[in-house]
Amino acid sequence: MKDEIAYCGLDCEQCDAYRATIHDDQALREQTAKLWAALNNAPILPEHINCEGCRTNGAKTVFCEHLCAIRKCALGKGVTTCGNCPEWETCPTVGAIVSNNPAALKNLKG
């Protein structure tokens, strides 16, 4: 499995924060910060939009590093992704992601 697949199965390469970081795209950072701030009713600024992937060393968004329950759980269990957890198919936390994203489900199934 490629490193850019997040613990939940989402593809980090499809995330605007990842793209803005990898391509050092300030316009995309600004656009993403504005959108995420509106969607989350939170003070998200362009300087918060830096992420090199959920499972890799390097920069992470505040959400991914400190707030993501899926990432915290996977790190605590020491699994590569939720797909390696024996409880993943009945897990309501990752279930919220995979029920709305067939690609994430496919990534977790390998």
Side-chain angles (χ1 to χ4, degrees), residues 8 68-71 73 82 87-88 90-99:
C8 65
C68 179
I70 293 171
R71 185 172 185 274
C73 180
C82 292
E87 302 165 26
W88 84 273
T90 58
C91 175
T93 307
V94 76
I97 300 290
V98 299
S99 67

Side-chain angles (χ1 to χ4, degrees), residues 2 9 25 30 36 48 58 72 76:
K2 66 182 185 172
D25 185 336
E30 292 171 7
W36 289 7
H48 299 146
K72 284 181 184 182

Side-chain angles (χ1 to χ4, degrees), residues 40-58:
N40 295 289
N41 193 28
I44 300 172
L45 304 172
E47 54 265 27
H48 299 146
I49 307 299
N50 289 293
C51 192
E52 295 176 59
C54 176
R55 296 187 308 118
T56 62
N57 291 328

Side-chain angles (χ1 to χ4, degrees), residues 59-77:
K60 312 254 180 297
T61 65
V62 171
F63 176 82
C64 293
E65 178 128 32
H66 300 289
L67 302 173
C68 179
I70 293 171
R71 185 172 185 274
K72 284 181 184 182
C73 180
L75 286 170
K77 290 183 176 185

Side-chain angles (χ1 to χ4, degrees), residues 7 29 90:
Y7 292 104
R29 272 190 192 94
T90 58

